[in-house]
Amino acid sequence: MLITVPNLLNSEELAEARGLLDAAEWVDGRVTAGHQSSQAKDNEQIPEGHPAAEKVGDMILRALGQNPLFLSAALPLRIFPPLFNRYSGGQNFGTHVDNAIRQIPGTPLRIRTDLSATVFFEDPDKYEGGELCVEDTYGVHRVKLPAGSMVLYPSTSLHHVTPVTSGSRLCSFFWIQSMIRDDTRRSLLFDMDRSIQRISGELGEHEAARKSAVELTGVYHNILRQWAEM
Ligand code: NI
């Protein structure tokens, strides 16, 4: 399941983030790549632990914690501290798959990468190319979102970023370990949660329907209790 989260960051947050990111130092992106992906990767990154990366990363984490669509879709257990990359002058990232396990820098914690996330910091009309292409059983999804929006996709997917032929593409990327490892199960819970939210808002004074909505909410939580890993 590929999900778009529109307007994760508002315009003030975006402006503050852009100021910090544009002023940061950028290095060769191969520093965080595994062996196979380092051969496919050609971009720049802000070093992990850089103050600008930490500040904007915290801003993203705060926004995620308050975003009902993200919380319902990802059912997050752990989130990797956001990283930042930039592509320009024909840079691209060839087809690869993200590492399954990642050590959280400076901690003994590791996360299993169930979901990959990209937050866009530049509007699509400011650069050519730079589409994130995610392969799944239904074909290739091409993603290029407005500044402040995010895409979430299963980390099991092969993906690549097409060459940026003019302007520059500025994004944050990170991974999420979900309480629900399996994408199919997570998608079922997401669909159920959304349906319950939608009907609950429309029931008015229909007592029997209200009771059904409460019961369905109970079923949702009881399935989550059965499937969640912490
Ligand atoms: Ni990747």
Side-chain angles (χ1 to χ4, degrees):
M1 182 177 56
L2 183 144
I3 289 168
T4 297
V5 179
N7 305 315
L8 175 70
L9 301 175
N10 62 37
S11 50
E12 293 90 74
E13 290 168 325
L14 267 179
E16 187 190 343
R18 281 303 303 259
L20 289 161
L21 297 175
D22 289 344
E25 65 170 303
W26 290 81
V27 298
D28 190 321
R30 279 175 275 245
V31 286
T32 57
H35 173 69
Q36 167 250 309
S37 62
S38 73
Q39 293 166 0
K41 190 172 187 182
D42 178 18
N43 63 12
E44 293 177 295
Q45 275 180 220
I46 299 179
E48 289 179 47
H50 187 290
E54 284 189 352
K55 235 174 160 174
V56 183
D58 287 346
M59 179 191 289
I60 292 171
L61 294 175
R62 241 187 348 261
L64 291 174
Q66 298 168 357
N67 190 288
L69 176 58
F70 167 75
L71 295 171
S72 175
L75 294 166
L77 177 63
R78 287 185 190 147
I79 304 177
F80 194 89
L83 299 168
F84 297 86
N85 62 19
R86 189 167 66 183
Y87 296 77
S88 56
Q91 287 181 318
N92 69 97
F93 199 158
T95 302
H96 67 282
V97 69
D98 295 343
N99 287 356
I101 307 290
R102 289 223 165 231
Q103 180 98 29
I104 298 185
T107 77
L109 285 179
R110 285 177 296 178
I111 79 163
R112 185 187 64 229
T113 58
D114 296 322
L115 288 159
S116 299
T118 299
V119 180
F120 291 77
F121 280 91
E122 186 70 277
D123 278 320
D125 58 352
K126 299 275 173 53
Y127 58 101
E128 299 282 336
E131 290 174 310
L132 171 66
C133 301
V134 181
E135 296 177 26
D136 75 6
T137 49
Y138 294 102
V140 178
H141 303 267
R142 305 174 79 85
V143 184
K144 187 170 172 177
L145 299 177
S149 296
M150 172 172 79
V151 63
L152 274 178
Y153 58 96
S155 302
T156 48
S157 321
L158 286 173
H159 55 278
H160 65 276
V161 176
T162 62
V164 174
T165 52
S166 78
S168 64
R169 174 194 195 266
L170 178 60
C171 287
S172 174
F173 64 104
F174 51 94
W175 301 273
I176 296 123
Q177 180 170 339
S178 176
M179 292 184 285
I180 305 295
R181 173 198 296 237
D182 181 68
D183 185 58
T184 308
R185 288 184 171 192
R186 202 183 318 109
S187 302
L188 285 169
L189 284 167
F190 178 55
D191 290 343
M192 188 172 182
D193 188 29
R194 284 217 298 188
S195 296
I196 293 170
Q197 300 296 335
R198 213 175 296 126
I199 55 166
S200 296
E202 313 244 318
L203 292 176
E205 296 305 307
H206 301 280
E207 179 126 7
R210 283 200 163 278
K211 180 149 187 284
S212 295
V214 171
E215 284 169 356
L216 277 174
T217 304
V219 172
Y220 171 86
H221 282 284
N222 290 333
I223 296 174
L224 185 56
R225 224 183 302 280
Q226 290 288 324
W227 288 353
E229 302 168 90
M230 320 274 287

